[in-house]
Short mmCIF file of all heavy atoms in Angstrom, two decimals:
data_model
loop_
_atom_site.label_atom_id
_atom_site.label_comp_id
_atom_site.label_asym_id
_atom_site.label_seq_id
_atom_site.Cartn_x
_atom_site.Cartn_y
_atom_site.Cartn_z
N THR A 305 16.63 41.69 -54.75
CA THR A 305 17.50 42.10 -55.89
C THR A 305 18.41 43.22 -55.46
O THR A 305 18.36 43.70 -54.36
CB THR A 305 16.57 42.61 -57.01
OG1 THR A 305 15.95 43.72 -56.61
CG2 THR A 305 15.62 41.46 -57.47
N TYR A 306 19.41 43.55 -56.31
CA TYR A 306 20.47 44.39 -55.97
C TYR A 306 20.27 45.72 -56.72
O TYR A 306 20.38 45.73 -57.94
CB TYR A 306 21.78 43.80 -56.20
CG TYR A 306 21.86 42.43 -55.52
CD1 TYR A 306 21.44 41.27 -56.00
CD2 TYR A 306 22.42 42.40 -54.17
CE1 TYR A 306 21.50 40.10 -55.33
CE2 TYR A 306 22.47 41.29 -53.43
CZ TYR A 306 21.96 40.12 -53.97
OH TYR A 306 21.99 38.93 -53.31
N TYR A 307 20.06 46.75 -56.01
CA TYR A 307 19.85 48.15 -56.63
C TYR A 307 21.14 48.93 -56.57
O TYR A 307 21.78 49.06 -55.51
CB TYR A 307 18.78 48.84 -55.96
CG TYR A 307 17.33 48.43 -56.21
CD1 TYR A 307 16.68 47.60 -55.28
CD2 TYR A 307 16.75 48.77 -57.38
CE1 TYR A 307 15.27 47.18 -55.60
CE2 TYR A 307 15.40 48.42 -57.65
CZ TYR A 307 14.71 47.64 -56.73
OH TYR A 307 13.42 47.23 -56.95
N PHE A 308 21.39 49.59 -57.77
CA PHE A 308 22.47 50.64 -57.83
C PHE A 308 21.86 51.87 -58.30
O PHE A 308 20.84 51.82 -59.12
CB PHE A 308 23.51 50.21 -58.81
CG PHE A 308 24.47 49.15 -58.22
CD1 PHE A 308 24.11 47.78 -58.24
CD2 PHE A 308 25.69 49.40 -57.74
CE1 PHE A 308 24.98 46.75 -57.85
CE2 PHE A 308 26.56 48.45 -57.23
CZ PHE A 308 26.19 47.07 -57.30
N VAL A 309 22.43 52.97 -58.05
CA VAL A 309 21.97 54.23 -58.70
C VAL A 309 23.14 54.83 -59.41
O VAL A 309 24.32 54.90 -58.90
CB VAL A 309 21.34 55.26 -57.70
CG1 VAL A 309 22.29 55.78 -56.64
CG2 VAL A 309 20.74 56.42 -58.56
N LEU A 310 22.97 55.15 -60.71
CA LEU A 310 23.98 55.73 -61.59
C LEU A 310 23.68 57.19 -61.70
O LEU A 310 22.54 57.58 -62.06
CB LEU A 310 23.90 55.07 -62.95
CG LEU A 310 24.80 55.65 -64.02
CD1 LEU A 310 26.25 55.20 -63.80
CD2 LEU A 310 24.40 55.12 -65.38
N SER A 311 24.54 58.05 -61.32
CA SER A 311 24.30 59.48 -61.60
C SER A 311 25.46 60.02 -62.42
O SER A 311 26.59 59.72 -62.37
CB SER A 311 24.17 60.20 -60.25
OG SER A 311 25.36 60.87 -59.94
N ILE A 312 24.98 60.81 -63.44
CA ILE A 312 25.90 61.44 -64.43
C ILE A 312 25.68 62.88 -64.45
O ILE A 312 24.59 63.42 -64.56
CB ILE A 312 25.54 60.81 -65.80
CG1 ILE A 312 25.74 59.36 -65.81
CG2 ILE A 312 26.35 61.46 -66.93
CD1 ILE A 312 25.28 58.62 -67.10
N VAL A 313 26.86 63.64 -64.33
CA VAL A 313 26.76 65.11 -64.50
C VAL A 313 27.30 65.42 -65.82
O VAL A 313 28.42 65.06 -66.20
CB VAL A 313 27.54 65.79 -63.37
CG1 VAL A 313 27.57 67.32 -63.54
CG2 VAL A 313 26.98 65.40 -61.99
N LEU A 314 26.51 66.21 -66.67
CA LEU A 314 26.81 66.51 -68.01
C LEU A 314 27.39 67.96 -68.21
O LEU A 314 26.87 68.85 -67.53
CB LEU A 314 25.56 66.34 -68.81
CG LEU A 314 24.82 64.99 -68.78
CD1 LEU A 314 23.36 65.20 -68.98
CD2 LEU A 314 25.44 64.11 -69.81
N ASP A 315 28.22 68.11 -69.13
CA ASP A 315 28.58 69.45 -69.60
C ASP A 315 27.57 69.88 -70.69
O ASP A 315 27.19 71.01 -70.79
CB ASP A 315 29.95 69.45 -70.19
CG ASP A 315 30.95 69.71 -69.05
OD1 ASP A 315 30.59 70.21 -68.01
OD2 ASP A 315 32.14 69.34 -69.28
N ASP A 316 27.22 68.90 -71.58
CA ASP A 316 26.31 69.21 -72.63
C ASP A 316 24.90 68.73 -72.34
O ASP A 316 24.75 67.93 -71.35
CB ASP A 316 26.81 68.43 -73.94
CG ASP A 316 28.24 68.73 -74.19
OD1 ASP A 316 28.56 69.91 -74.44
OD2 ASP A 316 29.09 67.79 -74.21
N THR A 317 24.00 69.12 -73.14
CA THR A 317 22.63 68.65 -72.93
C THR A 317 22.47 67.36 -73.86
O THR A 317 22.76 67.40 -75.01
CB THR A 317 21.64 69.67 -73.36
OG1 THR A 317 21.97 70.87 -72.62
CG2 THR A 317 20.25 69.30 -72.90
N LEU A 318 21.86 66.33 -73.22
CA LEU A 318 21.54 65.16 -74.03
C LEU A 318 20.11 65.40 -74.59
O LEU A 318 19.30 65.95 -73.88
CB LEU A 318 21.60 63.87 -73.31
CG LEU A 318 22.97 63.54 -72.70
CD1 LEU A 318 22.87 62.17 -71.98
CD2 LEU A 318 24.02 63.39 -73.79
N LYS A 319 19.80 64.89 -75.78
CA LYS A 319 18.53 64.93 -76.29
C LYS A 319 17.70 63.71 -75.85
O LYS A 319 18.28 62.80 -75.13
CB LYS A 319 18.43 65.00 -77.77
CG LYS A 319 19.29 66.28 -78.24
CD LYS A 319 18.49 67.03 -79.26
CE LYS A 319 19.13 68.40 -79.49
NZ LYS A 319 20.55 68.31 -79.86
N ASP A 320 16.48 63.58 -76.19
CA ASP A 320 15.66 62.39 -75.92
C ASP A 320 16.47 61.10 -76.29
O ASP A 320 16.90 61.10 -77.38
CB ASP A 320 14.37 62.43 -76.56
CG ASP A 320 13.48 63.54 -76.17
OD1 ASP A 320 13.87 64.27 -75.22
OD2 ASP A 320 12.42 63.75 -76.74
N GLY A 321 16.42 60.14 -75.47
CA GLY A 321 17.13 58.93 -75.83
C GLY A 321 17.31 58.09 -74.57
O GLY A 321 16.65 58.29 -73.53
N ILE A 322 18.09 57.01 -74.65
CA ILE A 322 18.30 56.18 -73.52
C ILE A 322 19.77 56.00 -73.13
O ILE A 322 20.64 55.89 -74.13
CB ILE A 322 17.61 54.78 -73.64
CG1 ILE A 322 18.04 54.12 -74.93
CG2 ILE A 322 16.06 54.89 -73.47
CD1 ILE A 322 17.56 52.67 -74.91
N ILE A 323 20.06 55.86 -71.93
CA ILE A 323 21.44 55.52 -71.46
C ILE A 323 21.38 54.08 -71.01
O ILE A 323 20.40 53.63 -70.30
CB ILE A 323 21.78 56.48 -70.28
CG1 ILE A 323 22.07 57.87 -70.85
CG2 ILE A 323 23.04 55.93 -69.58
CD1 ILE A 323 22.39 58.86 -69.79
N THR A 324 22.34 53.27 -71.39
CA THR A 324 22.34 51.93 -70.89
C THR A 324 23.58 51.69 -69.99
O THR A 324 24.61 52.41 -70.17
CB THR A 324 22.39 50.87 -71.99
OG1 THR A 324 23.62 51.07 -72.74
CG2 THR A 324 21.17 51.04 -73.00
N LEU A 325 23.46 50.78 -69.14
CA LEU A 325 24.53 50.45 -68.21
C LEU A 325 24.70 48.93 -68.08
O LEU A 325 23.69 48.14 -68.12
CB LEU A 325 24.13 51.01 -66.89
CG LEU A 325 24.87 50.53 -65.65
CD1 LEU A 325 26.26 51.26 -65.45
CD2 LEU A 325 24.03 50.76 -64.38
N ARG A 326 25.97 48.40 -68.05
CA ARG A 326 26.23 47.03 -67.71
C ARG A 326 27.48 47.05 -66.81
O ARG A 326 28.24 47.99 -66.84
CB ARG A 326 26.67 46.27 -68.95
CG ARG A 326 25.69 46.34 -70.08
CD ARG A 326 25.82 45.22 -71.02
NE ARG A 326 26.85 45.48 -72.06
CZ ARG A 326 27.23 44.55 -72.88
NH1 ARG A 326 26.72 43.33 -72.85
NH2 ARG A 326 28.10 44.86 -73.91
#
Side-chain angles (χ1 to χ4, degrees):
T305 62
Y306 303 87
Y307 284 102
F308 285 82
V309 65
L310 173 75
S311 101
I312 297 173
V313 178
L314 303 151
D315 273 343
D316 308 301
T317 309
L318 296 182
K319 302 231 168 52
D320 296 354
I322 51 167
I323 288 176
T324 65
L325 164 79
R326 311 198 271 174

